[in-house]
Amino acid sequence: MNLAISAIEYIEGVKNGSFTVEEFVGKTLDHISKHDAVLHAFLSVNQNALEQARQIDKKIKSGDAIGSLYGMPISIKDNICVRGGKTTCASKMLQDYVSPYDATVVSKLKEQDAIIIGKTNLDEFAMGVATEFSAFGPSRNPWNTDCVPGGSSGGSAVSVAANECIVSLGSDTGGSVRNPASFCSIVGLKPTYGLVSRYGLVSYANSIEQIGPMGKTVKDVALVLNHIAGKDPNDNTTIAGRNQDYLEGLEVGIKGKKIGIIKEMCASEGLEKSVESAFWRAVSEFEGLGCKIEETSLDMVQFTVATYYVLTAAEAGSNLSRYDNLRYGYDLDMEGYEYKSYIAKARKQFGPEVTRRMILGGFVPSAGFAGKYLLKALKVKSKLTKQISAAFEKFDYLISPTVPILPFKFGEKIDDPLAMYLADINTITANLTGIPAISVPFEISNGLPIGIQIHANRLQEKQLLHAAYALESVTDLPEAPL
């Protein structure tokens, strides 16, 4: 049985009897057992998955109503709550926390008879670009296990690329779906802010983060988006009345569409030659698909990294203040009780990157510094949003490399936070402005993947998926070598 199939192929296989849900899930679990000791995509695996598969097979055999995902094995990033299982955020702070409820996106998938195969690894509290900052050890890139898989949704990307599930859900605050999608040669979508409920997502930076689907193909991502998008009474930032069939008309093509090349994302000093060359080959492919292409400038992009880390640190500092060992507790060996000493010792459970961002998050909004840092960052965000809106009056899409560098080796950048942060320069804009963006696998260079990023205007996911599908149709990439 071939595990390297798309979500659409999986559904057809179950429906036509090529394999049962139990057979596929059983082989998937065997595959995880064989490969995940090295890849470390998962922090936990669903021990009831086989029984759930049997129950779904019984429903199919007896002709009972069956959800449209037919027992599809789906992995979930471990900062998204799944009832009855651990939600650790890859942090020792929450290593024993068991979620009492499902996130809305998980509930929606379960309603369609998806099987949550396991919870995937991430940078602690989703803070990182390499999955090196997990308290439980890093995930490894299936294309080269000496290299990082990207982050923070690195485990999710690895689980899809390594055929340890069909599709996955990640969260994207500054590129955390698209960055690992590019590094692992899969498709990753960051939806419009508000299109997908964040209820049940452990908060990092509420104003810009989004849950997004990750899959082997554009159709896989569109299929999952069909099921997770929509208004949620538990999340008042969600958007009403926007449900669409994102699979419908996916093959219409993009002939005559206008595409803008974002100058500032294609000319930075940190852009590696192999990524730059691949990008311009992608531009040629878009021209071959009948698009009109022109360079455009968004000068606020040069300030996005600084803006992003100021704003997200301020929100993270507030969100992480709840972890004081009083509401979320663990055994703490300490004699006596003095509040500041107690909190200081309790928060030693945080890793270095979370600690760094908490300290920054306490500083930038503080008296005497808010005007110098926080307010300026908010002004940049506002100006960038205006520039993006103006650009989409002229263009249907904006494109760039997803990440300006190839996947790097473990330890190569971990002691240089600024170099790490600059890997986000091309992905942050979509989060700061709330627009959708997608990373599409395009090329393998020296055995390492390169992705192309496409942006569309707010709530134009359907149009965005058309462009992604068109680009995907002119590529022919191999599977990750396992």
Side-chain angles (χ1 to χ4, degrees):
M1 186 188 304
N2 181 20
L3 295 180
I5 59 175
S6 70
I8 305 298
E9 290 168 334
Y10 169 84
I11 292 169
E12 288 302 314
V14 174
K15 289 169 73 173
N16 65 28
S18 297
F19 49 80
T20 65
V21 178
E22 182 181 358
E23 287 171 342
F24 195 93
V25 169
K27 187 167 182 180
T28 299
L29 290 170
D30 290 343
H31 190 69
I32 293 170
S33 179
K34 180 179 179 181
H35 293 286
D36 212 58
V38 173
L39 296 175
H40 195 38
F42 287 91
L43 294 180
S44 60
V45 175
N46 180 4
Q47 300 302 314
N48 299 316
L50 264 182
E51 179 56 31
Q52 292 169 5
R54 292 187 192 105
Q55 294 304 316
I56 292 170
D57 280 331
K58 286 181 181 178
K59 289 169 68 175
I60 294 171
K61 191 173 182 179
S62 62
D64 293 344
I66 183 76
S68 60
L69 294 178
Y70 288 85
M72 184 182 298
I74 297 178
S75 69
I76 304 291
K77 186 177 180 180
D78 201 29
N79 63 342
I80 301 171
C81 290
V82 176
R83 184 170 62 86
K86 288 185 178 181
T87 299
T88 70
C89 295
S91 176
K92 290 182 179 179
M93 186 67 76
L94 291 176
Q95 61 185 334
D96 295 319
Y97 174 68
V98 175
S99 174
Y101 69 102
D102 283 327
T104 296
V105 289
V106 172
S107 296
K108 288 184 172 184
L109 293 175
K110 286 182 175 180
E111 286 170 5
Q112 298 302 323
D113 280 321
I115 292 176
I116 307 306
I117 201 73
K119 304 294 291 295
T120 54
N121 200 12
L122 64 150
D123 288 292
E124 185 179 8
F125 282 99
M127 298 179 188
V129 299
T131 320
E132 286 185 279
F133 288 113
S134 169
F136 308 117
S139 298
R140 294 185 175 275
N141 196 316
W143 290 88
N144 183 335
T145 55
D146 291 330
C147 293
V148 303
S152 62
S153 307
S156 289
V158 172
S159 68
V160 173
N163 302 315
E164 296 180 320
C165 64
I166 297 290
V167 293
S168 186
L169 292 185
S171 65
D172 192 311
T173 311
S176 289
V177 162
R178 290 160 288 150
N179 171 300
S182 177
F183 275 14
C184 292
S185 195
I186 65 168
V187 180
L189 171 67
K190 197 289 289 187
T192 298
Y193 183 79
L195 186 66
V196 175
S197 172
R198 292 181 295 108
Y199 178 73
L201 171 67
V202 178
S203 296
Y204 165 21
N206 313 52
S207 69
I208 62 176
E209 63 195 0
Q210 274 287 265
I211 293 172
M214 307 171 78
K216 295 181 181 73
T217 70
V218 173
K219 281 188 175 181
D220 288 1
V221 166
L223 173 70
V224 176
L225 188 63
N226 276 350
H227 294 300
I228 64 173
K231 183 70 176 174
D232 178 15
N234 292 313
D235 179 358
N236 61 12
T237 66
T238 50
I239 300 164
R242 296 292 179 179
N243 289 351
Q244 300 185 53
D245 182 355
Y246 294 102
L247 280 168
E248 183 184 18
L250 203 57
E251 302 90 350
V252 297
I254 52 173
K255 186 176 181 180
K257 298 293 185 181
K258 296 181 180 178
I259 295 178
I261 298 171
I262 304 174
K263 177 182 176 182
E264 288 76 10
M265 295 185 187
C266 304
S268 62
E269 292 181 8
L271 183 64
E272 292 185 4
K273 290 294 183 183
S274 55
V275 177
E276 182 179 18
S277 298
F279 173 73
W280 289 108
R281 283 190 285 274
V283 169
S284 296
E285 294 289 358
F286 277 119
E287 289 176 329
L289 290 165
C291 296
K292 301 174 182 177
I293 298 181
E294 185 180 323
E295 194 174 80
T296 189
S297 177
L298 301 173
D299 60 6
M300 286 293 109
V301 166
Q302 63 186 307
F303 306 117
T304 53
V305 173
T307 297
Y308 170 82
Y309 282 100
V310 166
L311 295 179
T312 57
E315 293 190 37
S318 174
N319 282 321
L320 292 170
S321 65
R322 74 192 70 179
Y323 302 107
D324 51 13
N325 201 41
L326 300 176
R327 284 162 286 190
Y328 300 87
Y330 50 88
D331 291 334
L332 184 62
D333 183 18
M334 184 173 179
E335 293 183 6
Y337 177 84
E338 190 279 319
Y339 181 73
K340 289 184 179 179
S341 298
Y342 183 86
I343 294 298
K345 187 166 184 178
R347 288 185 177 160
K348 284 184 179 179
Q349 295 281 51
F350 285 132
E353 186 61 22
V354 173
T355 301
R356 183 182 295 122
R357 298 195 196 194
M358 281 191 76
I359 292 170
L360 180 61
F363 172 73
V364 293
S366 61
F369 296 99
K372 188 175 182 180
Y373 297 107
L374 185 60
L375 294 182
K376 282 186 178 179
L378 289 169
K379 288 179 181 177
V380 171
K381 181 182 178 184
S382 178
K383 287 185 177 182
L384 179 65
T385 301
K386 289 179 181 178
Q387 286 190 346
I388 283 287
S389 296
F392 281 119
E393 290 178 5
K394 184 176 181 181
F395 299 106
D396 298 292
Y397 307 106
L398 299 173
I399 60 171
S400 73
T402 306
V403 190
I405 58 177
L406 290 170
F408 48 89
K409 291 189 175 181
F410 287 100
E412 189 175 318
K413 299 181 186 294
I414 199 166
D415 294 323
D416 187 353
L418 183 57
M420 281 269 206
Y421 297 166
L422 288 173
D424 283 336
I425 190 166
N426 287 2
T427 51
I428 286 171
T429 293
N431 299 88
L432 291 177
T433 59
I435 63 172
I438 193 168
S439 179
V440 182
F442 182 71
E443 196 169 285
I444 307 298
S445 176
N446 296 318
L448 294 171
I450 297 171
I452 301 300
Q453 179 175 227
I454 311 170
H455 304 79
N457 205 356
R458 189 172 181 272
L459 295 173
Q460 294 301 310
E461 271 78 3
K462 196 160 187 175
Q463 181 170 292
L464 177 64
L465 290 163
H466 292 167
Y469 184 82
L471 181 62
E472 181 184 71
S473 69
V474 296
T475 62
D476 185 18
L477 300 178
E479 288 285 324
L482 286 178

